[in-house]
Amino acid sequence: MAAGAGWRMGAGERGRRGAETLFRGLLFCVLGCGFCWGNSVERKIYIPLNKTAPCVRLLNATHQIGCQSSMNGDTGVIHVVEKAQDLKWVLTDGPHPPYMVLLDGELFTRELMLQLKGSSRISGLAVAISKPSPAQGFSPGLKCPNDGFGVYSNDYGPQYAHCNWTAWNPLGNGLAYEDFNFPIFLLEDANETQVIKQCYQDHNLPQNGSVPEYPLCAMQLFAHMHAVTNTVTCMRRSSLQTAFSLNPEEVCDALSDYNVWSTLKPINTSSKINPLDEVIIVATRIDSHSFFWNVAPGAESAVASFVTHLAAAEALHKVPDVQMLPRNIMFTFFQGETFDYIGSSRMVYDMKMDKFPIRLDNIHSFLELSQVALRNSSVLWVHTDPVSRRNDSIQPQVETLVEALINSSVGANVTLQEVGQSQPLPPSSFQRFLRAKSIPGVVLADHRTSFQNRYYQSMYDTAENILMKYPEGLSPEETLDYVTDTAKSLAEVATVVARALYQLAGGTGNTSAIQADPRTVSRMLYGFLIKTNNSWFQSIIKQDLKGLLGDELPQHYIAVTTLVNTTQLVQYVLANLTGTVVNFTKEECLNPEKTPNPEKEMYVYTWVQGSRDPNSTSRVPFCVQSTVHLTKAASPAFELKQWGSTEYSTWTESRWKDIRARIFLIASKELEDMVQLPFLLDLMLQPTVFTLAGTTDSALPSLQEDEACWRIPLFQASLL
Ligand SMILES: *[C@@H]1O[C@H](CO)[C@@H](O)[C@H](O)[C@H]1NC(C)=O
Ligand SMILES: *[C@@H]1O[C@H](CO)[C@@H](O)[C@H](O)[C@H]1NC(C)=O
Ligand SMILES: *[C@@H]1O[C@H](CO)[C@@H](O)[C@H](O)[C@H]1NC(C)=O
Ligand SMILES: *[C@@H]1O[C@H](CO)[C@@H](O)[C@H](O)[C@H]1NC(C)=O
Ligand SMILES: *[C@@H]1O[C@H](CO)[C@@H](O)[C@H](O)[C@H]1NC(C)=O
Ligand SMILES: *[C@@H]1O[C@H](CO)[C@@H](O)[C@H](O)[C@H]1NC(C)=O
Ligand SMILES: *[C@@H]1O[C@H](CO)[C@@H](O)[C@H](O)[C@H]1NC(C)=O
Ligand SMILES: *[C@@H]1O[C@H](CO)[C@@H](O)[C@H](O)[C@H]1NC(C)=O
Ligand SMILES: *[C@@H]1O[C@H](CO)[C@@H](O)[C@H](O)[C@H]1NC(C)=O
Ligand SMILES: *[C@@H]1O[C@H](CO)[C@@H](O)[C@H](O)[C@H]1NC(C)=O
Ligand SMILES: *[C@@H]1O[C@H](CO)[C@@H](O)[C@H](O)[C@H]1NC(C)=O
């Protein structure tokens, strides 16, 4: 038998291959690759991992966090770690460092990660997502989210600064804010994880206590990051490059996008509203985060809240006398709040700089929906700011707010209760407004003190986390419309909020008719948590935006590209729920300024593609008139070029060229360094290299052509 057959040898036969040399290993490859050449060599060499998400590098004013690989990717022999004891092999015992650790999701803890971080025997990590979610909870965020960027500081409620009162996110292990100098990828697909484990079992498993021998199954992770050190360094470099280079190569980009907002009563956005006009702001965040890039399901931390907010907006718009209310209501959806309040800090800045139609002085009060997914509880907590309540003019206004909310919940299935008045606000956009001005406001949350959410800002904050369950066997369309218990309870919250807002806006009518629609809530939960490509979302977006919808799980990371999916979808859903269909032609709808319409400054017009006609494949588009606007959610720090700001968010994301992951067999330690694909291919195309290296024909094993093909390590690469 040819020694080369060892590529697929059973464990018992392995020992016999001990004498294999580097050159032989290479030659097998050259021969094998030669035989298979013409088809696709690459695919036979590497198995790409197709369903992965990388950890990337983010930077703020003073630090870099996240992960990166070396320029050409990092490679290591795979070792599967399913229990803490397995770690000993990679950290001390294993003879083939560096190792690529395939880590069970349950073990992805701070303690273990710091152990790996301190070891030079680790070249990278692949984390298998844990199903079901870890019972003990998991949050890679901080215990004190957005610390230093809220209102509490040495000058304002110093006893509350740095979460001295309550660690809001006690499970936060801070992993997402650590700096790792090796690549870390998430394996999102259990089948792919199984492929890797199989390769490991076939080749790397220690047999009867003796060490495994080459060929070994290895993994290579590419995630090289261009930016280093901090935002100050990278923005300075970017601005120099832009100024002096014809071919500027920026290395990082500010996290930024757009806030979405609308008003109950239309306002002229080309001017400022009357200084005496009063506006109640309703707010939620629409973004989330996790350890991994663009893995941000945010079910409880964002989606349940903004869906409730949207449902309340719809319910209010249906009230007949709503245009007569003395006060206006502004529905505000902040983007980038996860990263030191990007969206809200920008809106406050714009209001202060008179760049927004509404001024801070117009704000009557502020109502924020923080995490409001009640799960099995029925109590929603009302949080207020103890510091501003000491002011005699603010205190009664806050009381009115709290009363309106508590009264609205009378008779509802949701009970609102006030937390102790000496307790500070949880992390909230409202804090950014309080930083600028004493404004009466409340924050609603499903937690009295620290978060109920055990998966805050993690890949496990999914539909299951808010107990969304569908009966089996429903079609996608049936699922879209299926009213879950979660939807019912969020609709209850929306009803209470809408009724309270109606009263606060000066409404005197009977509020019992104000009712949020559980079916709308169901559809939104489905669209934002399960599948954006559903018939409702299809019907309410512009035609040229079809790429917005997909069948994969929706993610709510702010990113650096403008107008991420979430922002646009919130925009279209809000327009659908609060707008009206007007009888405009496409031409009129797209160019309202050309029509003699006196209201054009008051409204926004959107030509949406409409539903599919049941008897044909065509859609019936129409024009929607709404008050839905977008404004920049980019931190003022970048506007002001204050990259070292401690007042405003300075988060940037590094750029990269290549992010991918793959596994393959390596024939020997020496070969390991050569498996970089371009180099290997070069070698294959120039077999003379090996003749020069001194190999004679007699060293060539006799190979069958097809045997050589499968012997060649495994596989090829994929892009994310
Ligand atoms: C491992 O040990 C078992 C029983 O002791 C034996 O049957 C088997 O052949 C051994 N395998 C190897 C690879 O040595
Ligand atoms: C930047 O992030 C690091 C890591 O979370 C943190 O320790 C540091 O305080 C932050 N710097 C600023 C200016 O916010
Ligand atoms: C995993 O493999 C099983 C069996 O081959 C298949 O039924 C299932 O759909 C696969 N899962 C995914 C997520 O591809
Ligand atoms: C990734 O996709 C490629 C091409 O479809 C396939 O050959 C490969 O097996 C996939 N990788 C895994 C780990 O399943
Ligand atoms: C909106 O404001 C602009 C600028 O002040 C003004 O020219 C325009 O007439 C206003 N439109 C309406 C409908 O009030
Ligand atoms: C109370 O708040 C109002 C409105 O912000 C402010 O004008 C006033 O100065 C504050 N009073 C005290 C005692 O701080
Ligand atoms: C936006 O949605 C499309 C379709 O689902 C998807 O391909 C794309 O990755 C999404 N973008 C982000 C940033 O999630
Ligand atoms: C979205 O769903 C439709 C069917 O409703 C399908 O034709 C289309 O290909 C899907 N789009 C994407 C991006 O998956
Ligand atoms: C909202 O969407 C529904 C379903 O597609 C549609 O029937 C309705 O006319 C839309 N309303 C507006 C104002 O766009
Ligand atoms: C819509 O507008 C068209 C032409 O502008 C007109 O013929 C039609 O009657 C209008 N329909 C409604 C329902 O107003
Ligand atoms: C669709 O076709 C069915 C039967 O062919 C017919 O009864 C129905 O009225 C049609 N619907 C529309 C909207 O044209």
Side-chain angles (χ1 to χ4, degrees):
M1 183 195 69
W7 288 105
R8 209 177 55 174
M9 254 177 208
E13 296 167 296
R14 282 185 183 188
R16 280 186 255 142
R17 281 189 309 98
E20 248 180 56
T21 65
L22 162 66
F23 288 128
R24 244 188 229 190
L26 270 176
L27 276 163
F28 294 158
C29 182
V30 169
L31 285 170
C33 297
F35 291 145
C36 304
W37 186 255
N39 234 333
S40 60
V41 172
E42 292 186 9
R43 203 175 53 234
K44 293 207 166 66
I45 300 178
Y46 299 106
I47 292 184
L49 302 176
N50 308 310
K51 305 268 178 58
T52 63
C55 154
V56 303
R57 175 168 290 161
L58 300 180
L59 310 98
N60 70 2
T62 51
H63 289 65
Q64 64 176 35
I65 60 168
C67 318
Q68 80 153 348
S69 75
S70 54
M71 190 85 88
N72 296 312
D74 288 326
T75 304
V77 172
I78 296 171
H79 194 78
V80 174
V81 174
E82 285 171 329
K83 44 191 189 307
Q85 301 91 288
D86 297 341
L87 213 54
K88 195 157 166 276
W89 184 264
V90 285
L91 291 177
T92 55
D93 298 353
H96 305 295
Y99 284 97
M100 275 285 173
V101 175
L102 197 171
L103 189 68
D104 203 87
E106 292 270 348
L107 295 176
F108 188 44
T109 60
R110 182 178 185 85
E111 189 192 11
L112 189 143
M113 289 304 292
L114 293 185
Q115 259 180 296
L116 295 185
K117 196 175 163 177
S119 168
S120 58
R121 292 168 50 95
I122 306 294
S123 56
L125 187 69
V127 180
I129 199 159
S130 169
K131 275 208 174 101
S133 304
Q136 69 275 19
F138 177 77
S139 173
L142 298 166
K143 284 190 170 49
C144 187
N146 290 359
D147 187 18
F149 291 86
V151 70
Y152 303 113
S153 69
N154 289 343
D155 307 325
Y156 191 100
Q159 69 273 38
Y160 304 126
H162 313 301
C163 296
N164 263 353
W165 191 271
T166 316
W168 294 104
N169 184 31
L171 292 171
N173 61 23
L175 274 184
Y177 294 83
E178 289 287 325
D179 182 31
F180 294 96
N181 63 0
F182 50 76
I184 304 179
F185 279 57
L186 180 67
L187 302 173
E188 298 179 290
D189 181 345
N191 287 353
E192 288 206 1
T193 306
Q194 200 44 48
V195 170
I196 307 173
K197 286 190 175 172
Q198 195 60 50
C199 187
Y200 162 81
Q201 269 155 19
D202 291 348
H203 300 279
N204 300 7
L205 215 53
Q207 290 296 328
N208 287 355
S210 70
V211 302
E213 289 179 51
Y214 288 105
L216 295 169
C217 190
M219 178 155 43
Q220 188 173 26
L221 302 178
F222 297 82
H224 181 65
M225 297 288 134
H226 295 328
V228 290
T229 315
N230 56 41
T231 292
V232 178
T233 308
C234 104
M235 291 306 289
R236 200 183 284 140
R237 180 171 155 192
S238 293
S239 68
L240 282 179
Q241 296 247 1
T242 315
F244 297 112
S245 159
L246 285 174
N247 183 15
E249 190 174 316
E250 308 210 338
V251 294
C252 69
D253 303 279
L255 296 181
S256 71
D257 202 69
Y258 284 81
N259 297 323
V260 183
W261 63 278
S262 76
T263 49
L264 187 63
K265 298 191 280 179
I267 60 171
N268 185 350
T269 51
S270 318
S271 59
K272 302 281 168 298
I273 66 168
N274 188 313
L276 297 177
D277 285 353
E278 291 184 315
V279 179
I280 300 166
I281 295 190
V282 192
T284 41
R285 65 171 59 184
I286 56 174
D287 68 304
S288 188
H289 182 44
S290 78
F291 187 86
F292 299 99
W293 187 79
N294 203 30
V295 176
E300 177 160 19
S301 70
V303 177
S305 319
F306 74 68
V307 160
T308 304
H309 183 173
L310 287 163
E314 183 193 32
L316 270 169
H317 271 270
K318 283 190 191 149
V319 178
D321 69 341
V322 87
Q323 295 300 322
M324 314 295 183
L325 292 177
R327 299 190 182 101
N328 205 344
I329 297 175
M330 176 176 167
F331 304 102
T332 317
F333 299 83
F334 290 120
Q335 183 57 274
E337 294 300 274
T338 301
F339 295 96
D340 298 338
Y341 303 118
I342 294 173
S344 57
S345 66
R346 179 54 182 267
M347 188 174 283
V348 170
Y349 175 82
D350 285 345
M351 285 180 169
K352 276 207 283 203
M353 304 305 281
D354 250 359
K355 289 181 183 160
F356 200 82
I358 295 163
R359 301 176 188 83
L360 286 170
D361 287 340
N362 292 115
I363 301 175
H364 167 267
S365 51
F366 200 103
L367 193 162
E368 178 160 348
L369 301 178
S370 186
Q371 305 182 74
V372 295
L374 290 167
R375 294 216 195 73
N376 294 327
S377 158
S378 63
V379 181
L380 208 54
W381 295 95
V382 183
H383 299 256
T384 58
D385 170 42
V387 180
S388 54
R389 289 186 80 163
R390 280 184 223 135
N391 178 319
D392 291 340
S393 74
I394 301 293
Q395 166 67 10
Q397 298 182 62
V398 175
E399 266 174 13
T400 311
L401 261 175
V402 175
E403 253 166 52
L405 280 160
I406 290 177
N407 289 343
S408 310
S409 79
V410 172
N413 290 341
V414 182
T415 312
L416 265 63
Q417 285 182 35
E418 206 182 348
V419 301
Q421 286 191 18
S422 55
Q423 181 174 301
L425 288 169
S428 45
S429 311
F430 179 41
Q431 292 200 23
R432 289 304 302 199
F433 284 79
L434 278 179
R435 257 173 101 114
K437 185 172 185 281
S438 265
I439 292 168
V442 300
V443 175
L444 296 186
D446 59 12
H447 53 90
R448 181 177 194 165
T449 56
S450 52
F451 296 166
Q452 293 286 312
N453 186 357
R454 290 176 313 130
Y455 302 109
Y456 187 69
Q457 280 168 14
S458 83
M459 63 265 206
Y460 302 114
D461 191 3
T462 56
E464 289 99 81
N465 188 34
I466 55 168
L467 307 179
M468 250 167 82
K469 281 195 206 80
Y470 294 103
E472 276 184 39
L474 296 184
S475 70
E477 282 306 298
E478 288 164 344
T479 321
L480 174 66
D481 282 335
Y482 183 84
V483 180
T484 57
D485 289 344
T486 307
K488 284 183 200 152
S489 93
L490 292 180
E492 288 273 349
V493 176
T495 297
V496 169
V497 168
R499 289 178 183 174
L501 284 170
Y502 175 78
Q503 286 181 336
L504 290 167
T508 51
N510 186 346
T511 57
S512 60
I514 303 176
Q515 191 76 52
D517 183 358
R519 191 163 152 275
T520 310
V521 174
S522 299
R523 296 179 138 217
M524 288 191 279
L525 288 175
Y526 181 82
F528 287 110
L529 287 175
I530 298 185
K531 194 158 79 168
T532 53
N533 191 20
N534 59 70
S535 63
W536 184 40
F537 280 12
Q538 284 167 7
S539 74
I540 63 173
I541 64 167
K542 280 190 198 166
Q543 204 158 15
D544 51 358
L545 290 175
K546 271 178 282 184
L548 198 57
L549 306 180
D551 294 336
E552 63 274 28
L553 290 180
Q555 307 297 341
H556 308 290
Y557 173 62
I558 174 173
V560 296
T561 48
T562 48
L563 278 175
V564 292
N565 297 344
T566 307
T567 304
Q568 298 188 66
L569 291 173
V570 167
Q571 176 193 6
Y572 289 112
V573 170
L574 182 59
N576 179 267
L577 296 180
T578 64
T580 46
V581 179
V582 288
N583 187 14
F584 279 17
T585 62
K586 181 175 184 183
E587 177 70 9
E588 289 168 330
C589 194
L590 296 180
N591 307 288
E593 70 283 354
K594 288 188 190 151
T595 62
N597 175 6
E599 287 187 321
K600 64 198 177 202
E601 277 111 350
M602 314 289 278
Y603 289 105
V604 172
Y605 296 91
T606 321
W607 187 249
V608 302
Q609 59 179 359
S611 304
R612 204 178 281 282
D613 188 326
N615 287 357
S616 80
T617 52
S618 64
R619 294 179 174 278
V620 189
F622 57 92
C623 188
V624 178
Q625 170 188 275
S626 74
T627 62
V628 179
H629 301 276
L630 298 179
T631 49
K632 266 219 132 343
S635 168
F638 298 96
E639 198 85 348
L640 301 164
K641 294 197 187 319
Q642 291 171 1
W643 303 312
S645 177
T646 51
E647 165 80 8
Y648 297 113
S649 168
T650 52
W651 287 107
T652 52
E653 183 187 272
S654 172
R655 290 196 180 179
W656 59 79
K657 275 215 176 68
D658 191 14
I659 287 188
R660 60 201 162 98
R662 59 192 186 181
I663 60 172
F664 49 88
L665 292 183
I666 43 172
S668 72
K669 174 72 191 146
E670 289 75 16
L671 265 180
E672 201 174 301
D673 303 328
M674 299 189 191
V675 289
Q676 314 304 343
L677 183 57
F679 181 49
L680 187 58
L681 287 181
D682 271 1
L683 290 180
M684 290 167 186
L685 293 171
Q686 303 165 28
T688 49
V689 169
F690 299 98
T691 317
L692 289 177
T695 318
T696 64
D697 277 346
S698 63
L700 292 176
S702 54
L703 292 173
Q704 298 299 311
E705 198 174 303
D706 51 342
E707 195 183 13
C709 287
W710 61 249
R711 263 183 213 166
I712 297 316
L714 312 171
F715 345 141
Q716 138 80 13
S718 78
L719 293 172
L720 271 165

